[in-house]
Short mmCIF file of all heavy atoms in Angstrom, two decimals:
data_model
loop_
_atom_site.label_atom_id
_atom_site.label_comp_id
_atom_site.label_asym_id
_atom_site.label_seq_id
_atom_site.Cartn_x
_atom_site.Cartn_y
_atom_site.Cartn_z
N MET Y 1282 23.21 18.63 16.98
CA MET Y 1282 22.94 17.52 17.86
C MET Y 1282 22.23 16.41 17.10
O MET Y 1282 22.51 15.24 17.34
CB MET Y 1282 22.08 17.97 19.04
CG MET Y 1282 22.75 18.96 19.98
SD MET Y 1282 24.03 18.26 21.00
CE MET Y 1282 23.09 17.50 22.25
N GLY Y 1283 21.34 16.78 16.22
CA GLY Y 1283 20.63 15.77 15.44
C GLY Y 1283 21.55 14.93 14.59
O GLY Y 1283 21.37 13.72 14.47
N ALA Y 1284 22.57 15.56 14.02
CA ALA Y 1284 23.54 14.83 13.20
C ALA Y 1284 24.34 13.85 14.06
O ALA Y 1284 24.66 12.73 13.61
CB ALA Y 1284 24.49 15.80 12.50
N LEU Y 1285 24.64 14.22 15.29
CA LEU Y 1285 25.36 13.33 16.19
C LEU Y 1285 24.50 12.12 16.57
O LEU Y 1285 25.00 11.00 16.63
CB LEU Y 1285 25.81 14.07 17.45
CG LEU Y 1285 26.90 15.11 17.25
CD1 LEU Y 1285 27.15 15.86 18.54
CD2 LEU Y 1285 28.18 14.47 16.74
N VAL Y 1286 23.24 12.35 16.82
CA VAL Y 1286 22.33 11.25 17.15
C VAL Y 1286 22.20 10.31 15.95
O VAL Y 1286 22.24 9.09 16.11
CB VAL Y 1286 20.95 11.77 17.60
CG1 VAL Y 1286 19.94 10.65 17.74
CG2 VAL Y 1286 21.08 12.55 18.90
N TYR Y 1287 22.09 10.87 14.76
CA TYR Y 1287 22.02 10.04 13.55
C TYR Y 1287 23.29 9.20 13.40
O TYR Y 1287 23.22 7.99 13.13
CB TYR Y 1287 21.81 10.92 12.31
CG TYR Y 1287 21.83 10.14 11.03
CD1 TYR Y 1287 20.70 9.42 10.63
CD2 TYR Y 1287 22.96 10.11 10.23
CE1 TYR Y 1287 20.71 8.68 9.45
CE2 TYR Y 1287 22.98 9.37 9.06
CZ TYR Y 1287 21.85 8.66 8.67
OH TYR Y 1287 21.86 7.93 7.51
N ALA Y 1288 24.45 9.84 13.56
CA ALA Y 1288 25.73 9.12 13.45
C ALA Y 1288 25.81 8.02 14.51
O ALA Y 1288 26.26 6.91 14.22
CB ALA Y 1288 26.89 10.08 13.59
N PHE Y 1289 25.39 8.33 15.73
CA PHE Y 1289 25.39 7.33 16.80
C PHE Y 1289 24.53 6.13 16.43
O PHE Y 1289 24.95 4.99 16.58
CB PHE Y 1289 24.90 7.96 18.11
CG PHE Y 1289 24.71 6.97 19.22
CD1 PHE Y 1289 25.80 6.48 19.91
CD2 PHE Y 1289 23.44 6.53 19.57
CE1 PHE Y 1289 25.64 5.56 20.93
CE2 PHE Y 1289 23.28 5.61 20.58
CZ PHE Y 1289 24.37 5.12 21.26
N ASP Y 1290 23.34 6.39 15.91
CA ASP Y 1290 22.45 5.29 15.50
C ASP Y 1290 23.08 4.43 14.42
O ASP Y 1290 23.00 3.19 14.47
CB ASP Y 1290 21.11 5.85 15.00
CG ASP Y 1290 20.24 6.39 16.11
OD1 ASP Y 1290 20.48 6.07 17.29
OD2 ASP Y 1290 19.31 7.16 15.79
N GLN Y 1291 23.72 5.06 13.45
CA GLN Y 1291 24.36 4.33 12.36
C GLN Y 1291 25.51 3.47 12.87
O GLN Y 1291 25.64 2.30 12.50
CB GLN Y 1291 24.86 5.29 11.28
CG GLN Y 1291 23.78 6.06 10.58
CD GLN Y 1291 22.83 5.16 9.83
OE1 GLN Y 1291 23.25 4.35 9.01
NE2 GLN Y 1291 21.54 5.27 10.10
N VAL Y 1292 26.33 4.05 13.72
CA VAL Y 1292 27.51 3.34 14.23
C VAL Y 1292 27.10 2.19 15.14
O VAL Y 1292 27.62 1.08 15.03
CB VAL Y 1292 28.46 4.32 14.97
CG1 VAL Y 1292 29.53 3.59 15.73
CG2 VAL Y 1292 29.08 5.28 13.98
N THR Y 1293 26.17 2.43 16.04
CA THR Y 1293 25.77 1.37 16.97
C THR Y 1293 25.01 0.25 16.27
O THR Y 1293 25.11 -0.90 16.66
CB THR Y 1293 24.96 1.91 18.15
OG1 THR Y 1293 23.82 2.62 17.67
CG2 THR Y 1293 25.81 2.81 19.03
N SER Y 1294 24.28 0.58 15.21
CA SER Y 1294 23.58 -0.48 14.48
C SER Y 1294 24.58 -1.39 13.75
O SER Y 1294 24.28 -2.53 13.45
CB SER Y 1294 22.56 0.09 13.50
OG SER Y 1294 23.19 0.74 12.44
N ALA Y 1295 25.78 -0.87 13.50
CA ALA Y 1295 26.85 -1.67 12.89
C ALA Y 1295 27.77 -2.25 13.96
O ALA Y 1295 28.87 -2.69 13.65
CB ALA Y 1295 27.65 -0.80 11.92
N LYS Y 1296 27.31 -2.25 15.20
CA LYS Y 1296 28.06 -2.80 16.35
C LYS Y 1296 29.36 -2.05 16.64
O LYS Y 1296 30.32 -2.61 17.12
CB LYS Y 1296 28.37 -4.29 16.15
CG LYS Y 1296 27.17 -5.15 15.82
CD LYS Y 1296 26.25 -5.27 16.99
CE LYS Y 1296 25.15 -6.28 16.67
NZ LYS Y 1296 23.84 -5.78 16.82
N GLY Y 1297 29.38 -0.75 16.33
CA GLY Y 1297 30.56 0.08 16.58
C GLY Y 1297 30.37 1.01 17.76
O GLY Y 1297 29.35 0.96 18.46
N ARG Y 1298 31.37 1.84 17.98
CA ARG Y 1298 31.33 2.85 19.04
C ARG Y 1298 31.63 4.20 18.42
O ARG Y 1298 32.43 4.30 17.51
CB ARG Y 1298 32.42 2.59 20.09
CG ARG Y 1298 32.13 1.45 21.00
CD ARG Y 1298 33.29 1.18 21.92
NE ARG Y 1298 33.53 2.29 22.85
CZ ARG Y 1298 34.64 2.42 23.56
NH1 ARG Y 1298 35.62 1.54 23.45
NH2 ARG Y 1298 34.78 3.43 24.38
N LEU Y 1299 30.99 5.23 18.97
CA LEU Y 1299 31.23 6.59 18.51
C LEU Y 1299 31.85 7.37 19.64
O LEU Y 1299 31.21 7.60 20.66
CB LEU Y 1299 29.92 7.24 18.07
CG LEU Y 1299 30.01 8.68 17.59
CD1 LEU Y 1299 30.87 8.77 16.34
CD2 LEU Y 1299 28.63 9.23 17.31
N LEU Y 1300 33.12 7.73 19.47
CA LEU Y 1300 33.80 8.58 20.43
C LEU Y 1300 34.00 9.94 19.78
O LEU Y 1300 34.34 10.03 18.60
CB LEU Y 1300 35.18 8.01 20.81
CG LEU Y 1300 35.19 6.96 21.92
CD1 LEU Y 1300 34.58 5.68 21.46
CD2 LEU Y 1300 36.59 6.74 22.42
N LEU Y 1301 33.78 10.99 20.54
CA LEU Y 1301 33.97 12.35 20.05
C LEU Y 1301 35.21 12.92 20.71
O LEU Y 1301 35.44 12.71 21.89
CB LEU Y 1301 32.76 13.22 20.39
CG LEU Y 1301 31.41 12.71 19.89
CD1 LEU Y 1301 30.31 13.65 20.35
CD2 LEU Y 1301 31.41 12.59 18.38
N ALA Y 1302 35.99 13.66 19.95
CA ALA Y 1302 37.23 14.23 20.48
C ALA Y 1302 37.17 15.75 20.48
O ALA Y 1302 36.64 16.36 19.55
CB ALA Y 1302 38.41 13.76 19.64
N ALA Y 1303 37.74 16.33 21.54
CA ALA Y 1303 37.88 17.78 21.66
C ALA Y 1303 36.54 18.50 21.48
O ALA Y 1303 36.42 19.46 20.74
CB ALA Y 1303 38.92 18.30 20.67
N VAL Y 1304 35.52 18.03 22.18
CA VAL Y 1304 34.19 18.61 22.09
C VAL Y 1304 34.20 19.97 22.81
O VAL Y 1304 34.64 20.06 23.95
CB VAL Y 1304 33.14 17.68 22.76
CG1 VAL Y 1304 31.76 18.29 22.71
CG2 VAL Y 1304 33.16 16.31 22.09
N PRO Y 1305 33.72 21.02 22.15
CA PRO Y 1305 33.68 22.34 22.80
C PRO Y 1305 32.83 22.29 24.07
O PRO Y 1305 31.86 21.53 24.16
CB PRO Y 1305 33.03 23.23 21.75
CG PRO Y 1305 33.23 22.54 20.45
CD PRO Y 1305 33.24 21.07 20.78
N VAL Y 1306 33.18 23.12 25.03
CA VAL Y 1306 32.53 23.13 26.34
C VAL Y 1306 31.02 23.33 26.21
O VAL Y 1306 30.24 22.62 26.86
CB VAL Y 1306 33.15 24.23 27.23
CG1 VAL Y 1306 32.39 24.37 28.53
CG2 VAL Y 1306 34.61 23.92 27.50
N HIS Y 1307 30.59 24.25 25.37
CA HIS Y 1307 29.15 24.53 25.26
C HIS Y 1307 28.38 23.31 24.72
O HIS Y 1307 27.27 23.03 25.15
CB HIS Y 1307 28.89 25.77 24.42
CG HIS Y 1307 29.19 25.60 22.96
ND1 HIS Y 1307 30.48 25.68 22.46
CD2 HIS Y 1307 28.40 25.33 21.91
CE1 HIS Y 1307 30.44 25.48 21.15
NE2 HIS Y 1307 29.21 25.25 20.79
N LEU Y 1308 28.99 22.59 23.78
CA LEU Y 1308 28.32 21.40 23.24
C LEU Y 1308 28.35 20.26 24.25
O LEU Y 1308 27.36 19.54 24.41
CB LEU Y 1308 28.98 20.97 21.94
CG LEU Y 1308 28.36 19.77 21.23
CD1 LEU Y 1308 26.87 19.98 20.98
CD2 LEU Y 1308 29.09 19.52 19.92
N ARG Y 1309 29.45 20.12 24.95
CA ARG Y 1309 29.54 19.06 25.97
C ARG Y 1309 28.50 19.29 27.07
O ARG Y 1309 27.89 18.34 27.56
CB ARG Y 1309 30.94 19.02 26.56
CG ARG Y 1309 31.18 17.77 27.34
CD ARG Y 1309 32.63 17.49 27.47
NE ARG Y 1309 32.81 16.23 28.16
CZ ARG Y 1309 33.93 15.58 28.20
NH1 ARG Y 1309 34.99 16.05 27.59
NH2 ARG Y 1309 34.02 14.45 28.85
N ARG Y 1310 28.27 20.54 27.42
CA ARG Y 1310 27.24 20.87 28.43
C ARG Y 1310 25.87 20.45 27.93
O ARG Y 1310 25.08 19.85 28.66
CB ARG Y 1310 27.27 22.36 28.75
CG ARG Y 1310 26.27 22.76 29.80
CD ARG Y 1310 26.45 24.24 30.18
NE ARG Y 1310 25.50 24.62 31.19
CZ ARG Y 1310 24.30 25.13 30.92
NH1 ARG Y 1310 23.93 25.35 29.67
NH2 ARG Y 1310 23.47 25.44 31.90
N ARG Y 1311 25.56 20.76 26.68
CA ARG Y 1311 24.26 20.37 26.11
C ARG Y 1311 24.13 18.85 26.06
O ARG Y 1311 23.04 18.30 26.29
CB ARG Y 1311 24.08 20.96 24.72
CG ARG Y 1311 23.89 22.47 24.75
CD ARG Y 1311 23.68 23.03 23.39
NE ARG Y 1311 22.42 22.54 22.84
CZ ARG Y 1311 22.06 22.71 21.58
NH1 ARG Y 1311 22.84 23.33 20.73
NH2 ARG Y 1311 20.91 22.24 21.16
N MET Y 1312 25.22 18.18 25.75
CA MET Y 1312 25.21 16.71 25.71
C MET Y 1312 24.95 16.15 27.10
O MET Y 1312 24.21 15.18 27.26
CB MET Y 1312 26.53 16.18 25.16
CG MET Y 1312 26.73 16.41 23.70
SD MET Y 1312 28.41 16.07 23.11
CE MET Y 1312 28.68 14.43 23.76
N ARG Y 1313 25.54 16.75 28.12
CA ARG Y 1313 25.35 16.29 29.50
C ARG Y 1313 23.90 16.49 29.93
O ARG Y 1313 23.26 15.59 30.48
CB ARG Y 1313 26.29 17.04 30.44
CG ARG Y 1313 26.31 16.50 31.85
CD ARG Y 1313 27.31 17.22 32.76
NE ARG Y 1313 28.62 17.34 32.13
CZ ARG Y 1313 29.20 18.52 31.80
NH1 ARG Y 1313 28.60 19.66 32.05
NH2 ARG Y 1313 30.39 18.54 31.25
N ILE Y 1314 23.35 17.67 29.65
CA ILE Y 1314 21.97 17.99 30.04
C ILE Y 1314 20.98 17.06 29.35
O ILE Y 1314 20.02 16.58 29.97
CB ILE Y 1314 21.66 19.46 29.70
CG1 ILE Y 1314 22.43 20.39 30.64
CG2 ILE Y 1314 20.16 19.74 29.80
CD1 ILE Y 1314 22.41 21.85 30.23
N SER Y 1315 21.21 16.76 28.08
CA SER Y 1315 20.28 15.92 27.32
C SER Y 1315 20.47 14.43 27.57
O SER Y 1315 19.65 13.62 27.15
CB SER Y 1315 20.44 16.20 25.82
OG SER Y 1315 21.70 15.75 25.38
N GLY Y 1316 21.57 14.07 28.23
CA GLY Y 1316 21.84 12.66 28.48
C GLY Y 1316 22.63 11.98 27.38
O GLY Y 1316 22.95 10.79 27.46
N LEU Y 1317 22.97 12.72 26.33
CA LEU Y 1317 23.72 12.13 25.22
C LEU Y 1317 25.18 11.88 25.55
O LEU Y 1317 25.82 11.05 24.92
CB LEU Y 1317 23.64 13.04 23.99
CG LEU Y 1317 22.29 13.11 23.30
CD1 LEU Y 1317 22.32 14.15 22.19
CD2 LEU Y 1317 21.92 11.74 22.75
N GLU Y 1318 25.71 12.56 26.55
CA GLU Y 1318 27.12 12.42 26.89
C GLU Y 1318 27.51 10.98 27.18
O GLU Y 1318 28.56 10.51 26.75
CB GLU Y 1318 27.47 13.32 28.07
CG GLU Y 1318 28.94 13.36 28.39
CD GLU Y 1318 29.26 14.29 29.52
OE1 GLU Y 1318 28.59 14.19 30.58
OE2 GLU Y 1318 30.16 15.10 29.36
N ARG Y 1319 26.65 10.25 27.85
CA ARG Y 1319 26.99 8.87 28.20
C ARG Y 1319 26.97 7.94 27.00
O ARG Y 1319 27.58 6.88 26.99
CB ARG Y 1319 26.09 8.36 29.31
CG ARG Y 1319 24.65 8.17 28.93
CD ARG Y 1319 23.86 7.61 30.11
NE ARG Y 1319 22.47 7.55 29.79
CZ ARG Y 1319 21.57 8.49 30.09
NH1 ARG Y 1319 21.95 9.55 30.76
NH2 ARG Y 1319 20.32 8.36 29.74
N HIS Y 1320 26.27 8.33 25.93
CA HIS Y 1320 26.21 7.50 24.73
C HIS Y 1320 27.26 7.89 23.69
O HIS Y 1320 27.78 7.02 22.99
CB HIS Y 1320 24.83 7.60 24.07
CG HIS Y 1320 23.72 7.14 24.96
ND1 HIS Y 1320 23.54 5.81 25.29
CD2 HIS Y 1320 22.75 7.82 25.59
CE1 HIS Y 1320 22.50 5.70 26.10
NE2 HIS Y 1320 22.00 6.91 26.28
N LEU Y 1321 27.54 9.17 23.57
CA LEU Y 1321 28.45 9.64 22.53
C LEU Y 1321 29.92 9.61 22.96
O LEU Y 1321 30.80 9.80 22.14
CB LEU Y 1321 28.07 11.05 22.10
CG LEU Y 1321 26.68 11.17 21.48
CD1 LEU Y 1321 26.37 12.61 21.13
CD2 LEU Y 1321 26.56 10.30 20.25
N GLU Y 1322 30.20 9.35 24.20
CA GLU Y 1322 31.54 9.12 24.72
C GLU Y 1322 32.56 10.20 24.35
O GLU Y 1322 33.53 9.94 23.66
CB GLU Y 1322 32.06 7.75 24.27
CG GLU Y 1322 31.17 6.59 24.69
CD GLU Y 1322 31.80 5.25 24.35
OE1 GLU Y 1322 32.87 4.96 24.90
OE2 GLU Y 1322 31.21 4.53 23.54
N PRO Y 1323 32.36 11.41 24.82
CA PRO Y 1323 33.34 12.46 24.51
C PRO Y 1323 34.68 12.21 25.20
O PRO Y 1323 34.73 11.70 26.32
CB PRO Y 1323 32.69 13.74 25.04
CG PRO Y 1323 31.73 13.27 26.07
CD PRO Y 1323 31.28 11.91 25.66
N ARG Y 1324 35.77 12.55 24.51
CA ARG Y 1324 37.12 12.46 25.05
C ARG Y 1324 37.78 13.82 24.93
O ARG Y 1324 37.44 14.61 24.05
CB ARG Y 1324 37.94 11.40 24.31
CG ARG Y 1324 37.38 9.98 24.42
CD ARG Y 1324 37.36 9.50 25.87
NE ARG Y 1324 36.87 8.15 26.01
CZ ARG Y 1324 35.62 7.84 26.34
NH1 ARG Y 1324 34.72 8.78 26.53
NH2 ARG Y 1324 35.26 6.58 26.47
N GLU Y 1325 38.73 14.09 25.78
CA GLU Y 1325 39.39 15.39 25.80
C GLU Y 1325 40.19 15.67 24.53
O GLU Y 1325 40.19 16.78 24.03
CB GLU Y 1325 40.29 15.53 27.02
CG GLU Y 1325 39.54 15.57 28.35
CD GLU Y 1325 38.60 16.77 28.46
OE1 GLU Y 1325 39.00 17.88 28.05
OE2 GLU Y 1325 37.47 16.58 28.95
N THR Y 1326 40.88 14.66 24.02
CA THR Y 1326 41.74 14.86 22.85
C THR Y 1326 41.52 13.78 21.81
O THR Y 1326 41.01 12.69 22.11
CB THR Y 1326 43.24 14.83 23.25
OG1 THR Y 1326 43.56 13.51 23.70
CG2 THR Y 1326 43.55 15.85 24.35
N LEU Y 1327 41.97 14.06 20.60
CA LEU Y 1327 41.90 13.07 19.53
C LEU Y 1327 42.79 11.89 19.85
O LEU Y 1327 42.41 10.73 19.64
CB LEU Y 1327 42.32 13.71 18.20
CG LEU Y 1327 42.33 12.79 16.98
CD1 LEU Y 1327 40.97 12.17 16.74
CD2 LEU Y 1327 42.81 13.55 15.76
N ASP Y 1328 43.98 12.15 20.39
CA ASP Y 1328 44.89 11.06 20.76
C ASP Y 1328 44.25 10.11 21.76
O ASP Y 1328 44.39 8.89 21.65
CB ASP Y 1328 46.20 11.61 21.34
CG ASP Y 1328 47.10 12.20 20.29
OD1 ASP Y 1328 46.94 11.87 19.10
OD2 ASP Y 1328 47.98 13.00 20.67
N GLU Y 1329 43.54 10.66 22.73
CA GLU Y 1329 42.87 9.83 23.74
C GLU Y 1329 41.83 8.92 23.08
O GLU Y 1329 41.76 7.73 23.37
CB GLU Y 1329 42.22 10.72 24.79
CG GLU Y 1329 41.59 9.98 25.92
CD GLU Y 1329 40.94 10.92 26.95
OE1 GLU Y 1329 41.32 12.10 27.02
OE2 GLU Y 1329 40.04 10.45 27.66
N ALA Y 1330 41.04 9.47 22.18
CA ALA Y 1330 40.00 8.69 21.50
C ALA Y 1330 40.62 7.61 20.62
O ALA Y 1330 40.20 6.45 20.66
CB ALA Y 1330 39.11 9.60 20.66
N VAL Y 1331 41.64 7.96 19.86
CA VAL Y 1331 42.28 7.00 18.96
C VAL Y 1331 42.94 5.89 19.77
O VAL Y 1331 42.82 4.71 19.44
CB VAL Y 1331 43.31 7.70 18.05
CG1 VAL Y 1331 44.17 6.70 17.31
CG2 VAL Y 1331 42.59 8.63 17.07
N ASN Y 1332 43.64 6.24 20.83
CA ASN Y 1332 44.30 5.24 21.66
C ASN Y 1332 43.29 4.28 22.26
O ASN Y 1332 43.53 3.07 22.32
CB ASN Y 1332 45.13 5.88 22.76
CG ASN Y 1332 46.38 6.55 22.23
OD1 ASN Y 1332 46.87 6.20 21.16
ND2 ASN Y 1332 46.87 7.51 22.97
N GLU Y 1333 42.18 4.80 22.74
CA GLU Y 1333 41.16 3.93 23.34
C GLU Y 1333 40.59 2.95 22.31
O GLU Y 1333 40.42 1.78 22.60
CB GLU Y 1333 40.05 4.77 23.93
CG GLU Y 1333 39.02 3.95 24.67
CD GLU Y 1333 38.01 4.79 25.42
OE1 GLU Y 1333 38.33 5.92 25.83
OE2 GLU Y 1333 36.89 4.30 25.59
N LEU Y 1334 40.32 3.44 21.12
CA LEU Y 1334 39.76 2.56 20.09
C LEU Y 1334 40.79 1.57 19.56
O LEU Y 1334 40.44 0.46 19.17
CB LEU Y 1334 39.19 3.40 18.94
CG LEU Y 1334 37.92 4.16 19.29
CD1 LEU Y 1334 37.52 5.06 18.14
CD2 LEU Y 1334 36.79 3.24 19.69
N SER Y 1335 42.04 1.94 19.57
CA SER Y 1335 43.06 1.02 19.06
C SER Y 1335 43.37 -0.09 20.04
O SER Y 1335 43.99 -1.10 19.68
CB SER Y 1335 44.35 1.78 18.69
OG SER Y 1335 44.93 2.35 19.84
N GLU Y 1336 42.94 0.05 21.30
CA GLU Y 1336 43.13 -0.99 22.30
C GLU Y 1336 42.15 -2.14 22.15
O GLU Y 1336 42.30 -3.17 22.79
CB GLU Y 1336 43.01 -0.40 23.72
CG GLU Y 1336 44.12 0.56 24.08
CD GLU Y 1336 43.90 1.23 25.41
OE1 GLU Y 1336 42.87 0.97 26.08
OE2 GLU Y 1336 44.76 2.04 25.79
N LEU Y 1337 41.15 -1.98 21.33
CA LEU Y 1337 40.11 -3.01 21.17
C LEU Y 1337 40.62 -4.23 20.50
O LEU Y 1337 41.34 -4.42 19.70
CB LEU Y 1337 38.91 -2.44 20.39
CG LEU Y 1337 38.19 -1.31 21.09
CD1 LEU Y 1337 37.08 -0.80 20.18
CD2 LEU Y 1337 37.61 -1.74 22.40
#
């Protein structure tokens, strides 16, 4: 989780977005409980994440 928070800080400081793809259920639950889910933007599949970012 610490590595994800670090990556999020790096990406957002560069005005980017961090989307996570195919996050395991146990990690997604921890992200939801900690409040990180709304910042790290998990997506169900890699295709979903790539498509969303390519629409920018």
Side-chain angles (χ1 to χ4, degrees):
M1282 295 288 280
L1285 291 174
V1286 171
Y1287 176 79
F1289 173 77
D1290 288 343
Q1291 296 298 306
V1292 169
T1293 56
S1294 70
K1296 307 291 187 236
R1298 286 175 65 194
L1299 179 63
L1300 276 70
L1301 304 178
V1304 178
V1306 174
H1307 69 280
L1308 182 55
R1309 194 159 184 166
R1310 181 174 180 268
R1311 290 182 66 191
M1312 289 169 51
R1313 188 177 312 116
I1314 290 169
S1315 68
L1317 289 174
E1318 187 178 49
R1319 68 178 175 265
H1320 299 290
L1321 298 178
E1322 302 186 63
R1324 298 298 182 262
E1325 293 298 318
T1326 66
L1327 178 58
D1328 286 340
E1329 184 181 338
V1331 169
N1332 288 337
E1333 185 173 332
L1334 289 174
S1335 65
E1336 293 174 0
L1337 297 177

